[in-house]
């Protein structure tokens, strides 16, 4: 079993990023309650801190990556995210 890495890429002051952060937090909390021993690594990155991320994702934030691959951008569906994370474990 591998430990999935969930990355949220956004920037401060982005209302869609704030919404995505709330969805991610809720999904991670639900998964932790259902499967407390199954860890998921969460990291958040800002396009303002990384020129490569800025160049790649400036028009698509927020972006959610699972194990480095784009899962979704803009609006994050909690059911789809939870399913993808469970499949990644």
């Amino acid at each position: 079993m591998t430990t999935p890495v969930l990355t949220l890429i956004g920037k401060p002051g982005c209302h869609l990023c704030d919404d995505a952060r709330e969805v991610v937090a809720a999904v991670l909390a639900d998964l932790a309650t259902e499967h407390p021993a199954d860890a998921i690594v969460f990291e958040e990155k800002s396009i303002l801190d990384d020129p490569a991320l800025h160049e790649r994702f400036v028009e698509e934030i927020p972006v959610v990556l699972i194990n480095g691959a784009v899962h979704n951008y803009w609006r994050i569906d909690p059911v789809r995210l939870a399913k993808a994370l469970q499949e990644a474990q």
Side-chain angles (χ1 to χ4, degrees), residues 3-4 7 11-12 14 16 27 32-33 39 46-47 50 58 65 67 70 74 79-80 89:
T3 302
T7 307
K11 71 176 185 176
C14 165
L16 289 177
V27 168
T33 300
S46 171
I47 63 169
D50 185 325
V58 68
L65 309 177
N67 295 331
V70 174
W74 296 325
V79 173
R80 185 170 172 259
Q89 290 180 312

Side-chain angles (χ1 to χ4, degrees), residues 47 50-60 63 65 68-70:
I47 63 169
D50 185 325
L53 289 178
H54 185 274
E55 185 174 325
R56 182 169 176 201
F57 295 118
V58 68
E59 298 295 327
E60 298 176 335
V63 180
L65 309 177
V70 174

Side-chain angles (χ1 to χ4, degrees), residues 21-61:
R21 189 177 301 107
E22 289 179 19
V23 170
V24 167
V27 168
L28 291 177
D30 287 346
L31 291 176
T33 300
E34 293 173 17
H35 307 283
D38 296 339
I40 297 171
V41 175
F42 173 69
E43 59 185 16
E44 189 168 353
K45 297 182 179 183
S46 171
I47 63 169
L48 300 181
D49 298 332
D50 185 325
L53 289 178
H54 185 274
E55 185 174 325
R56 182 169 176 201
F57 295 118
V58 68
E59 298 295 327
E60 298 176 335
I61 60 170

